[in-house]
Structure formats: structure tokens, C-alpha cells
Amino acid sequence: MFMNILVIHGPNLNLLGEREPGIYGEETYDKLNNDIKTAADGLGISCEIFQSNHEGAIIDKLHEARKSCSGVVINAGAYTHYSYAIRDAIAAIRIPCIEVHISNVFARDEFRSKSVIAPVCAASVSGFGRDSYILAVEGLVRMIERRSDNK
Ligand code: DQA
């Protein structure tokens, strides 16, 4: 089954490696993307990776994905906690979206334990470090395959 998924990195994730390494690790953004691509190759799927620090650009990309992708893995960064516009975009598109966080958002500042996108995402992965992305990609592929088997 041909599968094309989209991975979206939201604000400040382009600074991985430099940004708060005690929380987000020392590996660079490029290394993370290489690891995601390697995992996608291993699963035999095609994977596009997109990063933006801008809410509207993330929304535009979600809209675009509804036509071209089977599913989305999204780390919306701090937008997770307050962007009703990104939440509405996820709700508007019918493909499954998996919410991802590198850190355990429930074990940090109070404001991070609230996700306004979680209710419209198919599943969430938080706290596995960079592996959160890999686990989300694997889970998304299994979810899409299962849904298509049940058709
Ligand atoms: C994050 C957690 C968010 O609270 C934060 O604003 C981020 C990264 C994570 O991956 O752990 O930018 O989504």
C-alpha cells in the first residue's frame, strides 16, 4: 500500500541541538530529520518533513496535506497549548494526525499539560525524547493500515 505521510515541526524546533539541550537533547534538527527519514524508509513509506515558526504556514500545510498525504505527525510546539486555529485545521482535514512532544509535557510547567489539539488528534506521544517522532510515525502507519484493512 502506497503511503505518504507528513511530519510537521512547529515553532523553535528548528533550533534543536542548541535550544535547551537539557530538555530537548543535544542532537541537531538535521540529525532528527535524518532519523525520521531512515525510519520511514525502513517502513517502506514516503515521508515529507516541514518546519515553520508561523501558525498560518502550519495551517496552510495541513490543508495541503489533506489532498496529498495519508496522515500527519505534528509537533506543534507551544502552539499545542493555545492555537485553536491549528486545532480547527486538524479537525477540518479527515486524515489522522498524531500529536508529538519530545519532552513529557505533563511533567513540566502547568500550561504545558493542556493541549488544545489533543481532542482532534487520533493519538498522542509525549516524553520519549526524539524517539517520540519515530514511535508516532510507526503508530500512524499501523493505524492507517488497520483502517484500510477494515474498509
Ligand atoms: C514541545 C513541548 C512544548 O511545550 C514546547 O513549547 C515545545 C516543544 C516538545 O516537543 O516537548 O516547543 O512540543
Side-chain angles (χ1 to χ4, degrees):
M1 168 185 184
F2 172 76
M3 212 186 283
N4 181 31
I5 67 158
L6 171 66
V7 175
I8 297 180
H9 301 286
N12 301 308
L13 292 161
N14 54 311
L15 295 186
L16 285 176
E18 288 178 41
R19 176 194 184 199
E20 301 184 84
I23 296 172
Y24 299 113
E26 292 190 350
E27 281 176 10
T28 63
Y29 173 72
D30 288 343
K31 166 82 168 65
L32 169 62
N33 287 336
N34 278 336
D35 290 349
I36 294 170
K37 286 271 185 198
T38 302
D41 286 349
L43 292 165
I45 60 159
S46 154
C47 173
E48 182 189 348
I49 298 176
F50 174 81
Q51 192 275 329
S52 179
N53 295 318
H54 305 278
E55 189 177 27
I58 293 170
I59 293 166
D60 288 344
K61 197 70 190 174
L62 285 164
H63 291 181
E64 194 186 304
R66 83 189 194 283
K67 304 250 166 149
S68 53
C69 294
S70 315
V72 177
V73 166
I74 180 166
N75 185 346
Y79 284 138
T80 303
H81 313 302
Y82 67 93
S83 176
Y84 296 121
I86 290 178
R87 174 200 167 111
D88 283 353
I90 293 171
I93 63 175
R94 283 146 192 246
I95 54 175
C97 292
I98 312 296
E99 173 188 10
V100 162
H101 300 288
I102 296 168
S103 63
N104 178 356
V105 285
F106 303 102
R108 299 180 59 197
D109 319 78
E110 176 86 42
F111 76 87
R112 293 185 208 275
S113 58
K114 167 90 184 161
S115 166
V116 301
I117 69 168
V120 292
C121 284
S124 302
V125 183
S126 169
F128 286 96
R130 313 301 178 90
D131 284 345
S132 289
Y133 284 91
I134 310 298
L135 294 168
V137 168
E138 288 173 1
L140 175 61
V141 169
R142 291 171 69 142
M143 183 181 283
I144 294 166
E145 282 172 349
R146 195 168 0 98
R147 286 183 181 186
S148 97
D149 287 348
N150 290 339
K151 255 186 201 153

